């Protein structure tokens, strides 16, 4: 029998819920704030989901023990293989916590969801008890959070609920899926296609929902059968829900038109450059009325989740496939909203949807386009009115057109003395293009021509500055940057910081220099 030291600290297994710090219980928050040591597991340094939930409750000066897994997949050079590496890691982690406990320091070991449900806490508990006193503080489970996000009741009445890891063998998964009324598959990752096949074989795919990042930013609920790319990787902490028959809402599968059913349609909407304050009322109404919302996953995160509404996230490079998927949903009776950042008609999804409708045989599907605030207008407004006269909008991306054509159009616009709004000026792989653009424009523009550099306008990382055209380099741009290059008439007031292009034109042409002292054009 092991005797506990009288002065030893207590190990608290603290459930911090599914991700939203507001779902941390009052008791958990109190213990986190009082503990001299807070420990948590992490897949990579600085990437602990459990700690992220507890941040508001950590007190200054608390000792943090970050327990970083040496491996998260089954491939490892460790002589004992994956299991050997993990067991060795748990032993080392338990020893680190034991040092604190033996010194009389309480340790709050954070656990995502609940400490008793598929949690790393249990590995520490098994190694530290009975040497040290252990108290478990339950948390809101991911099962509850994902069901709430999906707006479904998992089971009701006498129905049964099976909760199991998504790594369960296909034969056992199929048997449980066929035998249980409600089903929850936790920690979905890897062979999503295999899970789909097992559920389909058990006749449960129609009602299956994939829930990712429940209660956290980027929360997403998708009908499993309707994933645009079933083989795509999904976040590790995703969950698949299959509600019991009595508890389920109407099936989330793609709708089929019925007699008297209002025909489906596609509405292409612009979200503006950033958060919900940039939405128009018309766009907000269209998003609220949609049965399905389709879009690039980054933009889809900006659309609030709504009970009963299906969400379909895709990669940014599959515009045609995304458009066809939306049109197909609409043909079967769904009201579909396709989302774009900024305005959907400016280098965005409106043209992709209309082109696919024309060329793909979807002329019977109604499509309407709702405008949004463009990135060019948003950046321009931050500095004044540089687009106050004639201007030209050009994308510097050569993904869909050859680079020589881009330069030819830039020369023509510069020769016409138009203000230029330049989208997609650079990326990690397109760095030399900025130097070519600067050289091209300097053939027609004065070196002191003002250039507005706007990055992520409306977002947390917003940065807007005005520089000389001669000073423009690749360091100023990335894929979230838009450039506005002034014409010969554009004025830059150094005293107020305003940049504007007068609406009148007196007939003078050709570049004129900026008055360095006044900061304005004569």
């Amino acid at each position: 029998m092991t005797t506990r030291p009288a002065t030893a600290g207590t190990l608290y297994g603290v459930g911090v819920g599914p991700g939203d710090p507001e779902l941390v219980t009052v008791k958990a928050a109190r213990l986190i704030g009082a503990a001299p040591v807070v420990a948590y597991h992490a897949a990579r340094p600085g990437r602990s989901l459990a700690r992220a939930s507890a941040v508001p409750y950590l007190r200054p000066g608390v000792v943090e023990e970050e327990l970083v897994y040496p491996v998260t997949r089954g491939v490892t050079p460790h002589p004992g293989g994956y299991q050997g590496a993990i067991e060795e890691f748990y032993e080392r982690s338990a020893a680190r916590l034991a040092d604190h406990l033996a010194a009389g320091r309480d340790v709050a070991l954070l656990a995502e969801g609940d400490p008793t449900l598929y949690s790393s806490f249990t590995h520490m508990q098994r190694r530290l008890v009975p040497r040290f006193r252990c108290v478990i503080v339950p948390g809101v489970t991911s099962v509850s959070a994902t069901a709430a996000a999906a707006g479904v009741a998992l089971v009701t009445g006498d129905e049964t609920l099976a909760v199991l890891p998504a790594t369960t063998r296909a034969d056992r998964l199929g048997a449980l899926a066929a035998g249980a009324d409600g089903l929850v598959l936790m920690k979905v990752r890897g062979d999503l296609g295999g899970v789909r096949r097992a559920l389909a074989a058990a006749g449960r795919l129609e009602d299956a929902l994939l829930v990712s990042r429940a209660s956290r930013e980027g929360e997403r609920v998708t009908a499993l059968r309707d994933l645009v790319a079933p083989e795509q990787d999904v976040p590790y902490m995703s969950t698949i829900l299959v509600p019991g028959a009595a508890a389920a809402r109407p099936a989330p599968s793609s709708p089929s038109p019925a007699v008297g059913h209002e025909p489906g349609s596609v509405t292409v909407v612009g979200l503006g450059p950033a958060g919900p304050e940039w939405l128009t009322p018309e766009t907000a109404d269209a998003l609220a009325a949609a049965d399905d919302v389709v879009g690039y996953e980054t933009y889809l995160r900006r659309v609030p989740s709504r009970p009963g509404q299906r969400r379909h996230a895709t990669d940014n490079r599959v515009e045609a496939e995304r458009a066809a998927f939306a049109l197909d949903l609409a043909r079967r009776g769904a009201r579909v909203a396709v989302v774009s950042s900024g305005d959907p008609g400016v280098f965005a999804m409106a043209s992709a949807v209309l082109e696919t409708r024309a060329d793909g045989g979807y002329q019977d599907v109604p499509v309407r386009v709702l405008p949004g605030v463009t990135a060019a207008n948003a950046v321009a407004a931050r500095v004044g009115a540089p687009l106050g006269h004639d201007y030209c909008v050009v994308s510097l991306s050569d993904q869909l057109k050859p680079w020589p054509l881009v330069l030819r159009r830039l020369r023509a616009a510069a020769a016409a003395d138009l203000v230029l709004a330049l989208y997609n000026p650079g990326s990690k792989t397109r760095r030399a293009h900025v130097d070519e653009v600067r050289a091209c424009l300097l053939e027609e523009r004065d070196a002191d021509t003002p250039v507005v550099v706007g990055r992520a306008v409306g977002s947390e990382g917003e940065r807007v500055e005005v520089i000389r055209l001669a000073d423009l380099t690749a360091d100023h741009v990335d894929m979230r940057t838009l450039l506005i290059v002034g014409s010969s008439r554009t004025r830059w007031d150094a005293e107020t910081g305003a940049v504007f292009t007068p609406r009148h034109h007196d007939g003078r042409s050709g570049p004129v220099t900026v008055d360095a002292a006044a900061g304005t054009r004569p």
Side-chain angles (χ1 to χ4, degrees):
M1 178 177 178
T2 303
T3 302
R4 296 174 183 159
T7 58
T10 297
L11 174 67
Y12 291 94
V14 181
V16 294
D20 184 349
E22 292 187 347
L23 292 179
V24 173
T25 66
V26 174
K27 183 172 184 178
R30 176 176 60 80
L31 290 172
I32 293 169
V37 180
V38 173
Y40 43 83
H41 290 85
R44 296 189 299 276
R47 295 293 299 274
S48 170
L49 296 177
R51 185 190 185 278
S53 300
V55 164
Y57 313 108
L58 294 173
R59 64 178 177 81
V62 66
V63 176
E64 297 189 38
E65 286 285 359
E66 184 181 48
L67 309 174
V68 181
Y69 287 100
V71 60
T72 56
R73 303 275 181 165
V75 179
T76 172
H78 192 280
Y82 173 80
Q83 195 58 41
I86 288 297
E87 289 297 322
E88 185 177 291
F89 163 70
Y90 284 140
E91 289 293 338
R92 292 198 308 268
S93 299
R96 287 170 61 180
L97 301 187
D99 287 343
H100 290 293
L101 295 168
R105 294 184 287 269
D106 292 342
V107 175
L109 177 55
L110 309 182
E112 298 152 42
D114 183 273
T116 64
L117 185 63
Y118 297 116
S119 172
S120 296
F121 165 77
T122 57
H123 297 283
M124 299 295 97
Q125 179 190 26
R126 177 161 52 87
R127 288 169 170 80
L128 296 171
V129 175
R131 284 189 293 158
F132 304 102
R133 178 172 176 263
C134 178
V135 174
I136 296 177
V137 181
V140 176
T141 69
S142 58
V143 176
S144 301
T146 50
V152 301
L154 288 172
V155 286
T156 189
D158 295 329
E159 290 182 328
T160 59
L161 175 65
V163 179
L164 58 152
T167 53
T168 301
R169 295 192 324 269
D171 57 341
R172 179 164 171 75
L173 171 57
L176 288 168
D181 297 302
L183 185 69
V184 178
L185 298 176
M186 298 184 63
K187 300 184 179 180
V188 176
R189 181 177 65 181
D191 188 16
L192 186 59
V195 173
R196 285 164 54 95
R197 289 189 293 272
L199 292 178
R204 307 301 303 274
L205 182 59
E206 293 294 319
D207 293 328
L209 299 171
L210 176 68
V211 183
S212 301
R213 301 185 176 93
S215 84
R216 292 185 282 129
E217 182 180 357
E219 178 183 286
R220 187 173 73 215
V221 181
T222 309
L224 186 59
R225 65 164 293 174
D226 286 343
L227 282 181
V228 178
E231 72 283 356
Q232 70 184 2
D233 194 19
V234 297
Y236 173 58
M237 299 305 289
S238 297
T239 302
I240 290 176
L241 306 178
V242 185
R249 61 180 171 89
S253 55
S254 301
S256 299
V259 176
H261 189 280
E262 183 179 348
S265 63
V266 172
T267 303
V268 191
V269 303
L271 301 177
E277 66 273 13
W278 295 86
L279 283 178
T280 67
E282 184 181 34
T283 294
D285 290 344
L287 290 171
D291 301 312
D292 296 78
V293 183
V294 178
Y296 173 40
E297 58 184 353
T298 298
Y299 303 149
L300 204 59
R301 294 190 195 111
R302 287 161 45 186
V303 179
S305 297
R306 292 177 173 85
Q309 190 177 73
R310 297 173 289 268
R311 298 160 70 86
H312 312 276
T314 70
D315 184 83
N316 199 30
R317 294 164 293 183
V318 291
E319 288 186 353
E321 293 89 338
R322 188 187 309 151
F325 178 74
L327 290 162
D328 191 59
L329 283 176
R331 175 175 280 171
R332 288 183 272 159
R335 294 168 298 179
V336 184
V338 177
V339 299
S340 283
S341 181
D343 183 280
V346 181
F347 306 123
M349 282 302 299
S351 59
V353 170
L354 292 171
E355 182 180 2
T356 302
R357 182 178 69 164
D359 298 342
Y362 291 98
Q363 287 87 344
D364 57 315
V365 178
V367 174
R368 65 176 179 147
V369 179
L370 300 184
V373 178
T374 70
N377 294 139
V379 171
R382 287 295 195 249
V383 296
L387 306 181
H389 205 286
D390 298 340
Y391 67 94
C392 178
V393 178
V394 178
S395 171
L396 298 185
S397 172
D398 58 356
Q399 293 295 312
L400 301 176
K401 60 181 181 289
W403 181 243
L405 176 61
V406 176
L407 292 177
R408 189 160 69 247
R409 290 177 172 174
L410 284 177
R411 287 190 178 94
D417 199 21
L418 296 171
V419 175
L420 290 166
L422 304 180
Y423 281 68
N424 308 313
S427 67
K428 292 180 179 179
T429 57
R430 291 189 291 112
R431 308 303 295 166
H433 284 180
V434 175
D435 294 333
E436 293 185 65
V437 168
R438 183 187 64 250
C440 174
L441 296 180
L442 283 173
E443 295 174 9
E444 300 287 345
R445 290 282 198 277
D446 189 84
D448 289 331
T449 298
V451 177
V452 182
V453 182
R455 183 186 185 280
V457 168
S459 302
E460 185 177 347
E462 175 178 317
R463 186 179 69 247
V464 179
E465 61 179 325
V466 183
I467 62 174
R468 300 165 62 249
L469 175 59
D471 297 331
L472 177 64
T473 70
D475 292 335
H476 289 103
V477 305
D478 60 17
M479 282 302 291
R480 300 190 69 189
T481 303
L482 181 133
L483 303 175
I484 297 178
V485 182
S487 71
S488 67
R489 308 306 306 156
T490 303
R491 298 170 61 180
W492 175 14
D493 188 330
E495 183 176 348
T496 65
V499 179
F500 63 97
T501 304
R503 295 180 62 189
H504 60 81
H505 200 282
D506 60 10
R508 289 184 296 169
S509 62
V512 295
T513 60
V514 172
D515 185 330
T520 61
R521 291 183 176 275

